[in-house]
Amino acid sequence: MCEIPLTLEQKIFAAQNHDLIFKFLNEKHLSEDKFYDIVVFGYLRSVQRFFSEPDLQRYTFSTIAWKGMQGSLNDYKKSKNYHMDNTEFLNIHSDLYDESNFLQKSHSSSDLIAQLEVNLLLHDLAKRVSQQQMDIVRMRSIGYNLQDIANRQNTSIKRIRRLLEEVRGVLMEICYE
């Protein structure tokens, strides 16, 4: 977060709209205990930006705050990476652009084997799809949403979906050969 403290006006405004944090957490089905400290920074940055960037005044503050909190949540998810006790892997039977089902967590004693299988699968996949498609798969696997990927790839969400559908087809071929 920016090291500049909130002004008195910003503090009052932040306090008046503080319920947006809880609405965000509830809508995303996130634990207040775990995620409040993550999204609050996006919220406070949004307060500062709303007051310091006049172009943002054309939007409602809730829209700006929502984007800021989602950004903090995305950054948190990206920073988690892969950990032995929290292995994440692709589930080829899930909807590739349904953000809630794209990653499945493995908590069994065979986490290392599962991770090895995923790495081998990704290796085989990399031989059969384009570099852009692999970049998209990697971004999805670390928590980027479709809009973020489309922005980073300078393309549309529709194209990202089409590329992911092609990846799904290749994954199905690899898994059922």
Side-chain angles (χ1 to χ4, degrees):
M1 185 170 147
C2 183
E3 296 297 324
I4 301 170
L6 295 175
T7 65
L8 179 59
E9 181 183 25
Q10 291 170 344
K11 287 178 186 178
I12 292 169
F13 186 80
Q16 290 171 339
N17 292 283
H18 188 255
D19 63 316
L20 287 173
I21 297 172
F22 298 106
K23 287 179 183 176
F24 178 86
L25 293 171
N26 288 331
E27 184 170 306
K28 302 286 183 179
H29 306 289
L30 299 171
S31 161
E32 292 175 9
D33 292 339
K34 182 175 181 182
F35 291 96
Y36 179 90
D37 290 343
I38 294 165
V39 302
V40 70
F41 293 108
Y43 174 78
L44 294 174
R45 266 191 306 275
S46 297
V47 170
Q48 286 182 321
R49 289 186 64 218
F50 194 70
F51 278 82
S52 64
E53 298 175 30
D55 289 347
L56 295 181
Q57 298 293 319
R58 63 183 167 171
Y59 304 104
T60 63
F61 173 69
S62 60
T63 300
I64 304 304
W66 216 263
K67 290 285 188 186
M69 290 184 287
Q70 186 64 55
S72 290
L73 184 60
N74 290 345
D75 290 344
Y76 169 75
K77 287 178 180 179
K78 290 173 206 168
S79 72
K80 279 179 29 177
N81 273 330
Y82 296 102
H83 298 289
M84 294 284 278
D85 61 333
N86 196 22
T87 304
E88 298 179 329
F89 59 92
L90 299 172
N91 177 351
I92 64 168
H93 300 291
S94 68
D95 183 349
L96 288 176
Y97 33 77
D98 178 359
E99 295 168 15
S100 63
N101 291 328
F102 189 72
L103 296 175
Q104 298 292 320
K105 294 189 191 255
S106 171
H107 297 286
S108 69
S109 62
S110 61
D111 283 348
L112 289 174
I113 294 170
Q115 188 62 49
L116 176 61
E117 289 173 347
V118 169
N119 289 341
L120 290 171
L121 178 64
L122 290 173
H123 183 18
D124 287 345
L125 182 64
K127 294 182 207 174
R128 297 173 72 175
V129 300
S130 70
Q131 180 63 48
Q132 182 183 27
Q133 287 169 314
M134 281 308 296
D135 291 344
I136 292 168
V137 167
R138 286 185 185 102
M139 284 187 272
R140 288 295 286 140
S141 70
I142 60 172
Y144 282 86
N145 64 36
L146 294 179
Q147 185 64 55
D148 290 338
I149 294 170
N151 290 343
R152 288 180 179 269
Q153 293 289 316
N154 294 321
T155 190
S156 67
I157 292 176
K158 184 177 179 180
R159 173 142 172 82
I160 298 299
R161 285 185 173 144
R162 188 166 24 89
L163 291 169
L164 284 172
E165 283 298 325
E166 291 171 10
V167 168
R168 170 184 251 158
V170 173
L171 278 173
M172 296 303 282
E173 289 173 14
I174 291 170
C175 291
Y176 295 107
E177 284 181 335

